[in-house]
Each structure stands twice: as structure tokens, then as C-alpha cells.
Amino acid sequence: PLEAAMRALRAEYLYEAPERVRELSAALGRLRVGDTSAFEDLERYFHRLAGSGGSYGFPKITERGRTAEHAVIRLVGEARALQREDFEILEEHVLNVAEAFQTAQRDFDAEAPPA
């Protein structure tokens, strides 16, 4: 029963992945148009993924979330106008998180319990 409950929670977590990626993309879009409050959202979203990925047994999501969170913190700390390369880096982090979710979904599907 505990295994089944955990599997259901993991499935729900992965089901919500598209929404998490949309949140990241929307915050990045806001940053692109000069809304610097989006930095706070990006940091929070990446931080949440860094914590939750491992909790649900998806270490790649944790790793990618943490790496992205640190990139955001570094950019905020530099206190300078963002360059095109900065946006490309942040976009790459969003794509890396999306890819980690896709990999986690494939792995999760492959470990389906016997019927």
C-alpha cells in the first residue's frame, strides 16, 4: 500500500510537470520584457524543483533545478543589465528542467509495477 501511494504521488508530480515548465517560461518571458520581479519567481520556481525532485525520487530534476537556481542568484548578484547571452542561459536552464521531466516520465513509465 505504501509503494502504491508513493507511486501515485510520483505520478501526480509528473502530471503537473507541464504546468511547472509553463511557470518557468512565463517568468522568463516577463524578465525578457524588463519585469525584474520575475527574477524572484524564477528563483522560487527553480528552488521548489530542486527540493521536490529528490523528494519524489527524481534526482535529475533536483540537479537541474538547483543549477538553474544558482544561475539566477548569480545574475541577480551581478546587478547589471541582462544581455542576450544571459537570456539564452536562462532559457537553456528551463529547457534542461523540461528535459529532466521528460526523462523522469520515461523512467517512471518503464518501472510500471507488474499487473
Side-chain angles (χ1 to χ4, degrees):
L2 182 57
E3 265 184 48
M6 187 58 184
R7 183 164 176 78
L9 288 172
R10 293 176 80 215
E12 183 178 337
Y13 180 77
L14 291 173
Y15 176 79
E16 294 172 352
E19 181 59 29
R20 302 294 77 83
V21 174
R22 277 192 292 277
E23 288 173 343
L24 291 168
S25 296
L28 181 56
R30 289 183 18 242
L31 192 60
R32 283 184 186 276
V33 296
D35 180 357
T36 56
S37 72
F39 266 132
E40 186 178 313
D41 289 337
L42 278 172
E43 183 180 344
R44 184 176 59 253
Y45 296 150
F46 284 132
H47 178 80
R48 190 180 335 150
L49 292 172
S52 63
S55 297
Y56 286 96
F58 304 115
K60 188 178 236 180
I61 294 170
T62 289
E63 173 204 326
R64 301 252 172 112
R66 183 168 293 118
T67 299
E69 177 190 13
H70 291 162
V72 171
I73 291 168
R74 181 182 48 78
L75 285 172
V76 170
E78 290 177 0
R80 60 173 174 76
L82 295 177
Q83 304 299 310
R84 186 177 63 157
E85 295 80 20
D86 298 320
F87 291 110
E88 290 171 358
I89 288 168
L90 291 172
E91 185 174 317
E92 187 68 27
H93 284 298
V94 171
L95 293 172
N96 286 342
V97 166
E99 188 271 333
F101 271 118
Q102 290 171 346
T103 299
Q105 183 68 60
R106 271 193 311 273
D107 293 348
F108 180 77
D109 292 344
E111 67 186 37

